[in-house]
Amino acid sequence: MLRERIQASNYSLLDKLRSIDYLLILLIIAIGSISIFAIYSTEGGKFSFYTKNHIIRLSSFFILFLLLSFVRVSTWYKNAYLFYFVGLLLLITVLFFGISASGAKRWINLYFLNLQPSELMKIAVIICFARYYHRIQSSDIQSYKFLIQPIILLIIPCYLVIQQPDLGTSILIAGSGIAIIWLAGLNIKYFVYSGLLLLVSLPFAISILKPYQKSRILTFFNPDRDPLGAGYQIIQSKIAIGSGGFFGKGYLKGTQSYLEFLPEKHTDFIFTLFSEEFGFLGSIILLLLYILLIYRIINVGLVSRSFFAKLYCFGFATAIFLYVFVNIAMVLGMLPIVGAPLPIMSYGGSSLLSIMLGLSIVMSCKIYNQEQISAY
Amino acid sequence: MLNRGRNIEKGRVITRRMFILAAAKILLFAGISSRLYNLQISDREKYEILSDKNRIREWKTPPQRGIIVDNFNKVLASNDRVFQLHLILDEINDFDVTIFKIKNLIGLDQFQIKKLYKKKERLKPWDTLVVSDNLTWEQFSKINLYLHELEGAKPVLSTSRFYPYANDLVHIVGYVGDASPKDLEKPEIKENFVPGLKVGKYGIENSQEKMLIGNYGIKRYEVNASGKRISQIDYIKERQGNKVNLTIDIEIQKYAQELLKEKAGSICAMDIYTGEVVAMASSPTYDPNKFTHGINQKDWKEIKNNPLKPLINKSIAGLYSPGSTFKPLVALAALEYGILDPNKTIRCKGHKHPYELYGVKYHCWKKEGHGYMKLRNAIKQSCDIYFYEMARLLGVDRLSIIAKRYGLGTNVLGDLYNDEKKGLVPDTKWKKRALEQSWYLGETVINGIGQGYIQTTPLQLCLMTAQIANGGYKIKPHIIKDDSINYKDVLNKIKLDQSNFPLHERNYLDDINVEYYQRMYHKKSNINFVLDAMFGSTNEQYGTSYKSRYDDPKYQFAGKTGTSQVRRITDLDRELDLDTDQIEYKKRDHALYVAFAPYKDPRYAISVIIEHGGSGSKTAAPLASKLIKRIIDRHKLREQFNNGNTSLA
C-alpha cells in the first residue's frame, strides 16, 4: 500500500527540498569556483573574454541544473530514447551543417553557443542504456537478441563522432556505454573476449587511423620524437606540472602557462596550469573533490529504488571518472593526447552543459529516489 | 513473486558490479596520484631546470677592451662607439630575403654580399652573423626603423678600437680584427667571446689578450614560447678589460718614427738600468685602424707588396749582421779572457797588404789603412785588421759565451711578440749541429767584425749596448710597465751586488747563467776600457761618429758605428770604390749605430739601423744623435713622472 502511495505520490515541496543532496551541490560549487580561478589565471590574471564567458555559463548552467533537478525521474525515463535520438539527429546535422575549427567539424552554431552534440551524446547514451536495461529481465541480459541492440545503439554515435574526427569523445561515449552494459550484469566472458579481439585488431585499427592520430600515439610512446611538433604538448605539460613541486609556484605565477608554453591551457590542459600553480597538494585536493563527487553520485544510486536510477547514477559516476581519468592521465603523459576536457574545470559550453545536465538527472534521482518506475 | 525475486537478484548484480567498478576507479586514481608524486616531488628538480631553461634566455653583452697607455698615461689605443648589425641565424626563415632587404637598406655591394654568404657557411646555424660592424648613424637608424620587417636582425651598439697614433705604434701595439676559428680556440678568447667582438691580432693587442679582453655581461630575460622578451630578470654587467701600461714614451716614439720616414729600418731606445723600452720604431709602417673593420683589398695589397716590408717589425723581427757595432763586445771578450794586452800594436796597411790567413785575404774597410793601432784606437777608428787578429786569438766559442751573456741570440722581450727573432750567435758546436760542418778559422776572423753567420735584431744590439753602458749588469728589458722595477731599486741592487763582490766565487769566464741585476763581467776595468774607447769613437778626432757628437756634457754620448755588408765584397768593388748612392739600393750596405748617453752618467742606450743606408757614420749616427737629444730633454719629465709626480703629464 505504501508503494502505491509513493508511486502516485505528490511529493510536498518540503520533502523535495529535504531530500536534495546538498553536499553534491557544494561539491559542484567548489569545483566550479576553482575552475573560475583557473581560467582567470590562463588569461594572465586579467578579467577578460574566457573568464567572463565561463562565469556566465557556469552560473546559468548551474541554475538550469537546479531547475531540472525537480523534473521527475520518470519523466527522464520516458524521454530517454527521445533524448538519444535528438542527440543522434544533432550528430547527423553536424555532419552536414557543422562548423569547422582546426581541422575538425564538431559544432553546430546556435548563435549564443556553439553546441558540440558529441558532448550531449555522452549523457544521452547513459540515459538511453539505463532505460534499456531497466526493463530487461536479468535472465534475458545474456541473450544475443538483447545484446545486439545496445551495441548498435553504441556503434552509430561512436562512428559519427570518429568521423568528425574526435577520437577522444568517441572513446568516452563508448566507455560510458560499456560501463552500463557491465553494470547490467552481462557475463564477464563477453568483456574478456571483446578485449582480446580489440587487442588483436589493434594493429589493423592503427593502420586506418589518420596520420595525425598515428603521430599522437607514436608521440605518446616517445614524446622526444618530435619535441617541437607533436611531442611539444606532452613535454611542456610535464615540465609545467613537474616544476610545480609540492606547493606549486603560486597563484598566477605559473611561468609555463603565463609565458604561453602551454597549448590549449584553458581547455584540455587546465589541470596542467592548476597543478603548476598549486603543486602536488592542490592537485591531490582537486582529485579528492572529484572522488567525493563520484562517491556522492554513487550514493544516490545506492539509495534509489529503481534500476533506471541505479544504472544511470552508477553509469554517470563511471563516465565522470572516465573523463577525469583520461584528461589527467593525458596531461601527465600516461595516455596519448586525445581531446578530452576535465569536467566542470575546462572552458567549453557543451561539455559544461552536458555535465550539468547529467548532474541534474542525478539530483532528480535523489529527490525522487523512492519513485518506482514500471517496466513497460 | 518470481518477478520480484529476479528483481532483487538484478539489483544485487548491479550493486556488486558497481563496487567492482569503484575498486577499479580507486586503483586508477591511485595510479594518477603516484604519477603526480613522481613528477612533482621525485623529479621536481629536473622539471624546474627544464622550466627555467624554457623561460629564461641569455643575451651576452660585449665588454669594452682595456685601453693601452704609454709611460705618461697617454692613450695609445682607445674605444670608439660604433653601430653594428647582427643577424641571429636561427631566427631567420629565409636568409636570401633578409639579406636582400638589408642590402636595399644599407646598400651592400655584390662583393660584400658574397662575403656574407661565405661567412654564413662557416657559422653554425645558431650562431650570430655580423653583417656590418661599422654602420653609419644613417644606416643604423634606417635599420631600426624597418626592424620589424627584418627577421633575426639585431642592431647592436658596440665599441671598436681606435689608435690615435695610428702608424707610429702599429709594430708595438698591434691591431685587432675579427676572431678566426683559431683565435676562438684560445681559452682567454673562448671564455669571453661575444659575436662581433674584435680580438688582438698582433703585438700587445694579441699577447695581452687576457688583460685586455674583459668579461662579457649577461642579460637574462624571461621569454615566452615564441622567444619574445617579457621582462629582464637579471643583468650581470660586463667588465672592461684591464689597462695595459707601456714603457714607451709616445713623444720619443713619434720622433723616432719621423726620423725613419722614407727609410727602411729601426730605432730602439732603452733605459739601461730599468730595461724599459722607451721607443721601438720600425719603418716603413702602416695604419692599424684600417684593420679594425676588415681591411680592403687595395690597401692590403699596397701594404703587402711594399718592397720595404712594412709588415715586418724590424726592431725585433729584422735580422742583421751587427757589423762593427759588435766590436766593443769582441774587444771586451778578448780583454776578459786576457787574450791580449790593449797596448799591443798591430799595423793596418790598407788594401794593398791585407790580413792573410791560410792564403785567404781579409781587408780593412779603409783603403789606405789605419797604420799602427792599439786596441783603443782600433775601436775608435773601427779598424778591421786589429779585430781579425784579435778574433783569431780569442776563438769563436769564447766570443759566443760573452755575446750571449750580453743579450745576443735570445728573445729580448720573451714571448710578448710571436714574431720576435732570436738571431744567431754562432759557435763550433752550433755549426756542427746545424750545418754538419767543422768550423773554419776564417769564419772566426770575419765574426770578429760582426759579419758571417752572426745575426742580431736591433733591439738585441740596444740591449747589448745598455748592458755594457750600465757597467756590465744584467737587466730585464720590458715594454709593459712593471712597477716592481724602478731606477732606485735597480741601482741599489747593483750596488748590493758590487759590495758582495767577494761572494761571487764564480768564474765569469765560464758559460754561466747570470741573474738579473748581477754583474756579467770578470774585471770591471775591461768594461771601463770599452766604454772609454766608445767615447773616443764619438768624441775624439778620427772617431767614426765624430761628426754627430755633442760637446755639451748634458747630451754627450758614446757610440759605435757599424756597416753591415749584405753581400760579399769582390776585388772589383774595391777597385771601383763607389759612393753609396751610386750602388743599386738592394746592394747597399746596412747602416748601424749603437750608443749610450749621457756619457758621464749614462741612462739610455740606443740602436739605429737603416737598411741599405750605406755607412753607419754617415746615415745612422746623425739620427741617433738627434734622438738622443730628444730623449735627454725628456728625461727629467720621465724621472719625475715615474717617481710618482704624475701631475706633470
Side-chain angles (χ1 to χ4, degrees), chain A residues 133-134 136-137 182-183 185-186 232 236 238-239 241-243 245-246 249 255-256 259-261 275 279-280 283 287 291 298 302 307 311 314 317-318 321 324-325 328 332-334, chain B residues 3-4 6-11 13-15 17-22 24-25 28-29 31-33 35-37 39-41 43-44 47-48 50-51 54-55 222-225 230:
Chain A
Y133 280 106
H134 173 79
I136 293 176
Q137 300 293 318
W182 160 266
L183 286 164
L186 183 68
Y232 184 78
Q236 293 301 338
K238 275 163 74 180
I239 291 174
I241 294 169
S243 63
F246 187 80
K249 291 178 183 167
T255 52
Q256 282 286 103
L259 299 170
E260 289 161 29
F261 287 101
S275 193
F280 182 71
S283 305
L287 217 55
I291 290 169
I298 288 172
L302 285 173
F307 293 135
L311 283 170
F314 296 161
T318 308
F321 164 78
V324 173
F325 174 75
I328 295 181
L332 290 176
M334 298 164 83
Chain B
N3 200 14
R4 188 164 177 187
R6 273 181 185 161
N7 273 347
I8 290 167
E9 173 62 22
K10 190 177 168 184
V13 167
I14 290 171
T15 310
R17 293 232 161 165
M18 184 275 295
F19 278 115
I20 294 171
L21 258 185
K25 286 173 199 170
L28 287 173
F29 269 140
I32 284 184
S33 305
R35 173 74 168 186
L36 271 170
Y37 181 86
L39 287 177
Q40 299 193 297
I41 294 169
D43 290 346
R44 174 193 182 166
Y47 287 108
E48 261 181 352
L50 286 172
S51 162
N54 251 347
R55 73 189 180 94
E222 197 169 43
V223 296
N224 67 11
I230 303 296

Side-chain angles (χ1 to χ4, degrees), chain A residues 300-314:
Chain A
V300 172
L302 285 173
V303 300
S304 293
R305 287 189 61 132
S306 66
F307 293 135
F308 172 75
K310 275 182 194 293
L311 283 170
Y312 174 80
C313 289
F314 296 161

Side-chain angles (χ1 to χ4, degrees), chain B residues 203-366:
Chain B
I204 296 292
E205 292 276 26
N206 180 276
S207 60
Q208 296 308 106
E209 191 71 75
K210 214 173 178 172
M211 288 276 283
L212 292 167
I213 194 165
N215 302 115
Y216 58 72
I218 295 173
K219 279 182 177 166
R220 287 203 180 91
Y221 287 97
E222 197 169 43
V223 296
N224 67 11
S226 50
K228 199 173 166 242
R229 294 178 198 187
I230 303 296
S231 65
Q232 181 176 314
I233 52 176
D234 202 3
Y235 179 27
I236 301 167
K237 231 181 133 38
E238 60 278 354
R239 186 189 66 80
Q240 184 176 9
N242 292 328
K243 186 171 85 171
V244 170
N245 196 342
L246 299 185
T247 59
I248 297 291
D249 179 347
I250 185 62
E251 292 304 320
I252 293 170
Q253 174 75 16
K254 255 162 65 184
Y255 188 56
Q257 219 48 78
E258 197 188 308
L259 293 173
L260 287 173
K261 222 170 201 169
E262 314 282 295
K263 298 183 180 79
S266 149
I267 295 179
C268 303
M270 188 187 285
D271 186 312
I272 63 170
Y273 291 104
T274 60
E276 290 176 346
V277 177
V278 177
M280 194 171 85
S282 174
S283 176
T285 174
Y286 55 94
D287 186 355
N289 291 317
K290 282 182 179 163
F291 286 83
T292 308
H293 303 295
I295 189 162
N296 68 46
Q297 212 68 12
K298 192 184 138 249
D299 287 344
W300 174 239
K301 270 188 184 153
E302 211 178 287
I303 293 171
K304 213 181 150 195
N305 297 336
N306 187 335
L308 303 183
K309 304 215 180 321
L311 285 172
I312 292 175
N313 183 356
K314 298 193 171 66
S315 308
I316 53 170
L319 285 176
Y320 307 91
S321 303
S324 302
T325 57
F326 192 44
K327 280 176 184 161
L329 202 68
V330 178
L332 180 65
L335 291 170
E336 292 271 73
Y337 284 99
I339 296 304
L340 91 176
D341 180 352
N343 290 320
K344 182 189 164 103
T345 309
I346 292 172
R347 189 177 172 199
C348 173
K349 291 181 279 190
H351 283 183
K352 277 181 188 155
H353 305 281
Y355 183 79
E356 270 192 59
L357 195 69
Y358 305 128
V360 183
K361 291 171 181 168
Y362 301 90
H363 297 269
C364 184
W365 61 272
K366 197 166 182 183

Side-chain angles (χ1 to χ4, degrees), chain A residues 75-314:
Chain A
T75 316
W76 288 116
Y77 177 83
K78 276 179 212 146
N79 295 306
Y81 290 149
L82 181 69
F83 199 162
Y84 175 84
F85 283 111
V86 168
L88 212 57
L89 208 69
L90 286 170
L91 274 181
I92 293 164
T93 317
V94 167
L95 211 57
F96 295 107
F97 307 106
I99 53 173
S100 313
S102 47
K105 204 170 174 187
R106 294 177 190 164
W107 297 271
I108 302 171
N109 187 0
L110 294 183
Y111 299 102
F112 65 96
L113 174 86
N114 283 339
L115 187 71
Q116 191 183 339
S118 57
E119 286 290 341
L120 288 181
M121 206 60 207
K122 284 178 183 171
I123 306 299
V125 162
I126 299 169
I127 195 167
C128 162
F129 276 37
R131 170 168 177 173
Y132 179 79
Y133 280 106
H134 173 79
R135 62 179 181 89
I136 293 176
Q137 300 293 318
S138 58
S139 53
D140 293 337
I141 283 174
Q142 311 299 340
S143 74
Y144 292 109
K145 189 186 144 199
F146 291 106
L147 183 57
I148 207 85
Q149 292 172 33
I151 286 176
I152 291 168
L153 285 177
L154 201 54
I155 283 176
I156 295 168
C158 282
Y159 176 78
L160 285 171
V161 173
I162 281 182
Q163 286 306 304
Q164 290 181 348
D166 187 351
L167 192 63
T169 311
S170 155
I171 287 170
L172 289 175
I173 291 171
S176 356
I178 290 164
I180 295 188
I181 298 174
W182 160 266
L183 286 164
L186 183 68
N187 199 314
I188 207 160
K189 69 182 180 192
Y190 291 105
F191 294 95
V192 176
Y193 290 158
S194 51
L196 285 175
L197 194 70
L198 190 73
L199 220 64
V200 172
S201 65
L202 207 60
F204 173 72
I206 284 175
S207 72
I208 61 163
L209 285 176
K210 299 225 156 40
Y212 86 93
Q213 289 169 328
K214 256 191 259 182
S215 117
R216 272 184 182 182
I217 288 168
L218 285 173
T219 307
F220 165 68
F221 289 111
N222 180 17
D224 298 323
R225 195 175 70 105
D226 180 11
L228 290 174
Y232 184 78
Q233 296 174 323
I234 294 178
I235 291 172
Q236 293 301 338
S237 171
K238 275 163 74 180
I239 291 174
I241 294 169
S243 63
F246 187 80
F247 290 108
K249 291 178 183 167
Y251 185 53
L252 296 179
K253 284 177 187 159
T255 52
Q256 282 286 103
S257 25
Y258 174 52
L259 299 170
E260 289 161 29
F261 287 101
L262 274 186
E264 298 178 47
K265 54 190 170 184
H266 50 273
T267 58
D268 290 2
F269 285 87
I270 190 90
F271 182 79
T272 307
L273 170 122
F274 178 80
S275 193
E276 187 189 11
E277 294 189 344
F278 295 98
F280 182 71
L281 192 67
S283 305
I284 292 294
I285 289 172
L286 184 64
L287 217 55
L288 279 175
L289 286 176
Y290 278 115
I291 290 169
L292 264 175
L293 183 74
I294 290 164
Y295 162 74
R296 286 317 290 183
I297 295 167
I298 288 172
N299 199 46
V300 172
L302 285 173
V303 300
S304 293
R305 287 189 61 132
S306 66
F307 293 135
F308 172 75
K310 275 182 194 293
L311 283 170
Y312 174 80
C313 289
F314 296 161

